[in-house]
Amino acid sequence: MTASRRVVVFGSLNADITFEVHRIPAAGETVVADAVRRASGGKGANQAHAAARTTRDVSVAMAGAVGDDEAGTRLVGDLADAGVDVAHVIRTTGESGMAMIAVDPDGRNVIVVAPGANHRWGELPEPPVGAGDVLALQLEIPLHVVEHLARAARAAGARVVLNAAPVTPGAESLLRFVDVLIVNEGEAEELLSLTAAGDATAVADAARRQHLDLVVTLGEQGAIVASRDGGACVIPAFPAESVDTVGAGDAFVGAMVSALAAGDDLVAAARRGAAAGAATVAVRGARHPSLTAELVDEILRRTAHPA
């Protein structure tokens, strides 16, 4: 496929508050946090950040909405500092999106999101994409907005990548406008009724049925990549000491769409995504502060030629 050299991520921007806890609380239980961190997040913004930080001469733009509060200013500024074009992020009246995250010492987490500006869409926005561009979408903005964006992008000749997270009722209606679908095991079961997400043959069958390229991420077990023509490939996970799994999936998607825009094939792009995800779980927070294309390259080289 011809490289477009341009990625547009259209999705959520959230202010994250992360509580480091000794264990995830049960329903109705209160636990005392060992520390609290505030940072910029949101699945869309995290993916744009990872795409920009791991790019190889690819232009990365973010489109979405923030409030007119201090958090909105910080969310946009942090992306701009990472090299993301933020001209398509609009400011609305009211609060920006916010997420509360509790993470334990093993990296397990629970997340509660207040959408704020991410759900305040009046007129349907148009995706700022053209023929050959890559548009990355998630499901932290309203489903009808995502469907409109995917339909319009497909009509414009862009390649549509959907990370169906979190899965929303009715999301199956989007699939006819999607070129590449990225899901984890739970999302694969809920969206595709794929109960054997770790089986390459089952994933290949699902890709053929849906007429799209399919990537199922499996955490420590790596990922399975299947093309719409039926071919499938297992990508082993890269070695990593997990400190915090928050943001690993977004790093995977961001690095992968950047690689797709640079002209990599599906498997090579997914390998870059897996390397970025492995780097991200080794640090605290949803965004690796030192994530770069060179770091991803080094992880790939080190795994291909272990010492």
Side-chain angles (χ1 to χ4, degrees):
M1 176 171 288
T2 302
S4 72
R5 301 292 176 182
R6 185 167 185 264
V7 170
V8 177
V9 182
F10 205 123
S12 58
L13 303 94
N14 291 325
D16 288 351
I17 302 179
T18 301
F19 296 91
E20 297 179 11
V21 295
H22 63 281
R23 60 182 172 82
I24 302 298
E29 182 184 19
T30 299
V31 299
V32 177
D34 298 318
V36 62
R37 292 179 276 113
R38 292 172 172 82
S40 295
K43 293 194 72 63
N46 289 343
Q47 291 174 14
H49 181 274
R53 293 297 296 265
T54 61
T55 183
R56 294 169 297 175
D57 299 322
V58 169
S59 170
V60 179
M62 178 74 206
V66 296
D68 57 0
D69 52 3
E70 181 181 350
T73 300
R74 185 170 60 254
L75 290 169
V76 174
D78 285 350
L79 284 180
D81 289 345
V84 178
D85 176 1
V86 294
H88 302 288
V89 178
I90 66 170
R91 301 293 294 262
T92 69
T93 302
E95 294 181 344
S96 299
M98 180 172 292
M100 186 283 290
I101 304 163
V103 59
D104 73 9
D106 294 323
R108 293 184 294 262
N109 64 80
V110 294
I111 303 173
V112 178
V113 176
N118 295 304
H119 277 203
R120 287 197 298 270
W121 291 98
E123 294 183 5
L124 290 173
E126 294 301 317
V129 295
D133 290 342
V134 176
L135 175 68
L137 299 166
Q138 320 78 35
L139 297 178
E140 283 189 338
I141 61 177
L143 185 64
H144 73 281
V145 175
V146 178
E147 182 166 344
H148 167 76
L149 292 168
R151 185 195 301 265
R154 173 67 72 81
R159 190 177 191 182
V160 178
V161 178
L162 173 65
N163 174 215
V167 173
T168 303
E172 60 275 3
S173 66
L174 298 172
L175 299 183
R176 65 189 185 275
F177 306 116
V178 171
D179 297 295
V180 182
L181 175 66
I182 305 173
V183 288
N184 63 24
E185 290 179 271
E187 293 153 1
E189 181 172 0
E190 189 169 351
L191 184 61
L192 303 174
S193 299
L194 183 56
T195 57
D199 184 299
T201 299
V203 175
D205 289 343
R208 277 196 302 267
R209 285 197 308 273
Q210 297 296 336
H211 305 291
L212 46 72
D213 296 328
L214 176 59
V215 180
V216 180
T217 59
L218 304 171
E220 295 178 355
Q221 303 305 311
I224 296 176
V225 177
S227 63
R228 67 191 68 204
D229 63 10
C233 176
V234 177
I235 298 176
F238 293 96
E241 183 176 346
S242 180
V243 173
D244 185 354
T245 59
V246 174
D250 293 333
F252 182 106
V253 175
M256 181 173 176
V257 296
S258 176
L260 289 174
D264 284 8
D265 63 31
L266 195 67
V267 171
R271 279 180 53 79
R272 291 191 68 81
T280 300
V281 301
V283 300
R284 297 196 181 278
R287 299 179 186 176
H288 191 308
S290 302
L291 185 64
T292 60
E294 291 74 22
L295 176 59
V296 170
D297 291 339
E298 174 57 28
I299 292 171
L300 291 169
R301 281 195 300 270
R302 192 165 62 234
T303 306
H305 305 287

